[in-house]
């Protein structure tokens, strides 16, 4: 027995004709047959006035394109001409600096250093290289540091003319190892202040390139002093620090500077690491006088 629940009256009948549209847009032929009115051909839209407006716009666009092409040709001819601006050569005096493609054309260097371990060696290089290899030194404070260190005002060095190096020092919590970034795209990093000095000695004035000499034993002595500087920066016990400081005193001996009569990269490295240890480092009388000479020359 079949039942039919909720029987409803049909709302649309199959034989009901659909109303014809009252506008001329999207008129189509009827797909299904019906008793409705036959479709009529739509009248063509637009008029001569509309076509004239479109033609005017097209001509305006063509004129602008033609003017743009002429401007590009003029700019291209200007770029083909040699530059009239002459860049003044770097004042290097009698000292030459080797090329370094890794630093790029502007020779931009970024340093990250902790406020507890200021890289005084960079400031010293900016002072003593002077006009032979001018260094533009600026510093900024990273958001990880609450306030700029007291030495921040010291780490500024401006030069007249084109600098050889553009050094930006960023105070950031990176520990005892100062970081140098020479390629921000590849993030090429040199870690450790002594390693940074090694790198800069290779791209700086030739008289500070201790590795260029033929005396390998002297080069090894330089490296030993630089390695001891890095050990001192990482040392935590007083006994270990005093042992390293005694090696510096032995290297200095009775000379005015560590390796002879002239100041070198080794003096700068030792002076920087000892200055970071002040006033905790107990120096001998010889080292104290040597520190005074360094302070008067490098600060």
């Amino acid at each position: 027995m079949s039942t039919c629940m909720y029987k409803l009256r049909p709302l649309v009948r199959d034989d009901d004709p659909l109303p014809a549209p009252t506008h001329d847009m999207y008129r189509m032929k009827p797909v299904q047959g019906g008793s409705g009115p036959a479709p009529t051909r739509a009248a063509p839209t637009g008029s001569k006035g509309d076509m004239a407006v479109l033609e005017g716009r097209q001509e305006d666009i063509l004129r602008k394109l033609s003017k743009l092409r002429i401007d590009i040709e003029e700019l291209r001819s200007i770029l083909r001409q040699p530059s009239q601006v002459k860049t003044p050569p770097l004042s290097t005096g009698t000292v030459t600096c080797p090329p370094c493609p890794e630093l790029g054309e502007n020779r931009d260097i970024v340093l990250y250093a902790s406020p507890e371990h200021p890289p005084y060696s960079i400031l010293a290089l900016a002072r003593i290289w002077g006009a032979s290899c001018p260094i533009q030194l600026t510093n900024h404070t990273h958001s990880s540091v609450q306030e700029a260190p007291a030495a921040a005002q010291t780490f500024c060095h401006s030069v007249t003319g084109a600098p050889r190096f553009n050094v930006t020092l960023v105070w950031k919590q990176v520990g005892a190892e100062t970081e140098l970034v020479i390629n921000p795209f590849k993030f090429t990093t040199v870690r450790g202040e002594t390693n940074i000095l090694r790198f800069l000695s290779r791209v700086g004035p030739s008289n500070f390139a201790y590795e260029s000499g033929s005396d390998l034993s002297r080069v090894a002595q330089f490296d030993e002093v630089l390695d001891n500087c890095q050990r001192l920066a990482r040392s935590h016990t007083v006994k270990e620090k005093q042992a390293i400081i005694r090696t510096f005193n032995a290297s200095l001996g009775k000379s005015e500077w560590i390796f002879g009569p002239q100041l070198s990269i080794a003096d700068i490295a030792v002076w920087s690491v000892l200055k970071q240890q002040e006033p905790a480092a107990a120096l001998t009388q010889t080292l104290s006088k040597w520190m005074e000479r360094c302070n008067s020359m490098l600060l």
Side-chain angles (χ1 to χ4, degrees), residues 6-7 11 39 45 63 69 76-77 84 135 144 146 162 176 209 215 218-219 223 249 253 271 273 279:
Y6 308 112
K7 187 175 181 180
L11 299 178
T45 59
R63 283 195 300 269
R69 182 178 61 83
R76 185 179 298 175
S77 62
Q84 302 297 326
I135 297 178
S144 61
Q146 297 296 331
D215 190 353
R218 183 177 177 84
V219 175
D223 285 330
N249 186 75
W271 170 75
V273 72

Side-chain angles (χ1 to χ4, degrees), residues 62-78:
L62 292 176
R63 283 195 300 269
K64 290 181 179 179
L65 289 175
S66 178
K67 184 178 182 302
L68 180 61
R69 182 178 61 83
I70 295 174
D71 293 341
I72 292 176
E73 291 296 334
E74 292 179 355
L75 181 61
R76 185 179 298 175
S77 62
I78 293 174

Side-chain angles (χ1 to χ4, degrees), residues 32-271:
Q32 298 177 348
S35 58
T40 58
R41 182 181 296 274
T45 59
S47 61
K48 293 183 179 180
D50 296 336
M51 294 299 296
V53 172
L54 291 177
E55 290 177 357
R57 290 180 180 176
Q58 184 179 8
E59 292 178 359
D60 187 40
I61 293 174
L62 292 176
R63 283 195 300 269
K64 290 181 179 179
L65 289 175
S66 178
K67 184 178 182 302
L68 180 61
R69 182 178 61 83
I70 295 174
D71 293 341
I72 292 176
E73 291 296 334
E74 292 179 355
L75 181 61
R76 185 179 298 175
S77 62
I78 293 174
L79 292 177
R80 290 197 188 103
Q81 298 176 1
S83 176
Q84 302 297 326
V85 180
K86 296 182 179 180
T87 304
L90 293 176
S91 175
T92 57
T94 58
V95 182
T96 59
C97 295
C100 184
E102 293 82 0
L103 293 177
E105 184 178 354
N106 296 327
R107 289 187 170 238
D108 293 327
I109 296 176
V110 179
L111 290 174
Y112 295 99
S114 298
E116 297 80 10
H117 303 277
Y120 290 103
S121 59
I122 306 302
L123 182 62
L125 291 181
R127 295 282 193 271
I128 62 176
W129 282 359
S132 63
C133 187
I135 297 178
Q136 182 83 20
L137 179 59
T138 58
N139 68 92
H140 304 278
T141 304
H142 192 263
S143 58
S144 61
V145 178
Q146 297 296 331
E147 58 181 355
Q153 297 180 355
T154 309
F155 282 83
C156 292
H157 188 263
S158 301
V159 297
T160 56
R164 183 72 176 179
F165 296 101
N166 292 298
V167 180
T168 302
L169 176 60
V170 181
W171 300 106
K172 183 180 178 182
Q173 294 296 345
V174 293
E177 298 288 345
T178 302
E179 297 180 358
L180 179 146
V181 179
I182 60 176
N183 193 327
F185 297 102
K186 297 181 180 179
F187 205 75
T188 305
T189 306
V190 179
R191 292 179 59 86
E193 187 176 355
T194 55
N195 293 327
I196 294 173
L197 278 176
R198 285 188 174 101
F199 171 76
L200 293 177
S201 68
R202 297 164 187 165
V203 298
S206 56
N207 58 338
F208 280 87
Y210 72 93
E211 295 174 321
S212 61
S214 58
D215 190 353
L216 297 182
S217 62
R218 183 177 177 84
V219 175
Q221 292 174 358
F222 266 90
D223 285 330
E224 182 181 3
V225 172
L226 295 178
D227 291 341
N228 286 333
C229 291
Q230 191 166 3
R231 286 177 51 207
L232 181 59
R234 296 178 177 179
S235 300
H236 299 287
T237 63
V238 177
K239 183 178 180 180
E240 186 178 3
K241 291 181 179 181
Q242 290 302 320
I244 298 174
I245 292 176
R246 284 195 295 269
T247 63
F248 295 153
N249 186 75
S251 299
L252 181 61
K254 296 182 179 180
S255 302
E256 185 178 4
W257 305 106
I258 291 180
F259 287 108
Q262 294 182 349
L263 183 138
S264 64
I265 289 291
D267 294 281
I268 295 174
V270 175
W271 170 75

